[in-house]
Amino acid sequence: MICASAEEKLALKKVQEILPSVYREVVSDPIADEDLLLSYWPSTVGPMIACRTRPLGVFGDKLFVEVTDLPCLNELRALRWRVTRQLNEAVGRRVLSDVSFRLGRAHRKPPARAARVSGSEAADGDEADEIRDPNLRRIFRARRKAAEKKSGS
């Protein structure tokens, strides 16, 4: 794993601070809110917990997460209100009221939305391919498609 320099960390922090407000101006879609929450999961909980968990999705105003082992499950249940608050802050508004954790196999497959990239999307060969996060990449492509459709009509 490559460690980021202090300057890179500062630049990333600045991007994370402005992304929710820019995102809010462009998108007002509940599904996109879910994608953004899933994208923020690793940075909110940290790499040690992120590799032992898998956010399944948002149902209503509750995020459901699978956890690989019982000690981690117990720790996360104790911290669920803090995690909920931090995710809402990351998105820039109150999207979640709670996070629910359950024991499971956290990394048996990628999140459903990330796995739903169609063949035509993956074969575009455009700037969207450079977006590493599958949820943000999907949001970008959907917004670009909507903008193209709007300008074409």
Side-chain angles (χ1 to χ4, degrees), residues 21 26 38 42-43 59 72 80 89 127 146 148:
S21 61
V26 177
L38 296 176
S43 63
F59 301 95
C72 186
R80 76 177 206 249
E89 287 173 2
E127 69 267 8
E148 289 170 357

Side-chain angles (χ1 to χ4, degrees), residues 45 73 91 125 129:
V45 297
L73 176 71
V91 173
D129 293 335

Side-chain angles (χ1 to χ4, degrees), residues 36-38 40-46 49-50 53-55 58 61-67 72-101:
L36 193 58
L37 281 168
L38 296 176
Y40 273 117
W41 178 256
S43 63
T44 299
V45 297
I49 292 175
T53 59
R54 181 171 66 104
V58 177
D61 60 355
K62 190 179 231 184
L63 174 63
F64 290 84
V65 179
E66 277 189 348
V67 183
C72 186
L73 176 71
N74 292 333
E75 181 181 340
L76 285 169
R77 282 182 175 163
L79 297 172
R80 76 177 206 249
W81 300 116
R82 189 167 103 189
V83 171
T84 301
R85 180 181 46 78
Q86 289 174 333
L87 284 168
N88 283 329
E89 287 173 2
V91 173
R93 69 184 189 99
R94 187 178 183 275
V95 175
L96 297 176
S97 67
D98 196 7
V99 179
S100 177
F101 300 98

Side-chain angles (χ1 to χ4, degrees), residues 14-32:
K14 288 180 182 178
V15 168
Q16 287 177 331
E17 289 172 0
I18 64 167
L19 182 61
S21 61
V22 171
Y23 177 81
R24 281 287 136 242
E25 290 177 19
V26 177
V27 178
S28 61
D29 180 1
I31 293 173

